[in-house]
Every structure is written in C-alpha cells, then in structure tokens.
C-alpha cells in the first residue's frame, strides 16, 4: 500500500508543483493589483484635496480683493 502511494506521489509531484506555482502567480497578481488600487485611491484623494484647496484659495483671494465680495456672494448664493 505504501509503495502504491509513493509511486502515485512520484507521478503527481510535478503536477502539484505546477499547480502551486500557478496559485502563487495568481496570488501575486492579485496582491499587486490591490496595492496599485490603494495607490490610485490615495492619488485621487490627494488630487481632490488639491482641487478643493485651489478653489478655496481662489475664493479667499476674490474676497480679499473686493471688500464687498462677501455680501455679493451671500446675496447671489442659492442652492439649485
């Protein structure tokens, strides 16, 4: 019985190695994709924060340039 199992293992050893290598390659690709997705999300968040900052700075410069800008902005502001 042990001889049969040893012979069977000897024949299947190559297939097991191939299957393990394929699973390792799939897992590596999956993890690399997750890392890239995290980087993309962080870059997107940083870009949106920069855009918000630029808009806020532009509004603050506009208000500083025109003393009555705050009243004008409040008067013309409406939610659509």
């Amino acid at each position: 019985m042990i001889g049969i199992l040893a012979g069977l293992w000897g024949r299947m050893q190559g297939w097991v190695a191939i299957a393990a290598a394929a699973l390792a390659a799939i897992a590596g690709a999956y993890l690399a994709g997750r890392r890239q997705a995290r980087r993309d999300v962080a870059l997107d968040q940083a870009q949106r924060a920069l855009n918000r900052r630029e808009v806020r700075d532009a509004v603050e410069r506009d208000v500083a340039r025109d003393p009555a800008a705050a009243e004008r902005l409040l008067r013309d502001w409406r939610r659509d």
Side-chain angles (χ1 to χ4, degrees):
M1 182 69 165
I2 300 246
I4 293 172
L5 290 176
L8 187 61
W9 174 249
R11 281 188 249 154
M12 291 181 52
Q13 198 170 10
W15 291 105
V16 170
I18 290 171
L23 287 175
I26 291 170
Y30 175 75
L31 293 175
R34 283 180 54 107
R35 268 193 309 273
Q36 185 62 41
R38 264 189 250 120
R39 287 184 194 130
D40 290 345
V41 166
L43 181 62
D44 187 42
Q45 287 176 345
Q47 185 64 41
R48 282 188 278 144
L50 179 63
N51 289 343
R52 284 192 306 267
R53 174 74 185 247
E54 288 173 354
V55 168
R56 186 180 67 229
D57 289 347
V59 168
E60 287 177 357
R61 282 193 304 272
D62 215 16
V63 169
R65 209 174 315 130
D66 183 10
E71 290 84 22
R72 182 177 45 83
L73 288 172
L74 285 173
R75 183 190 70 225
D76 295 341
W77 182 84
R78 65 183 155 225
R79 183 174 291 171
D80 292 333

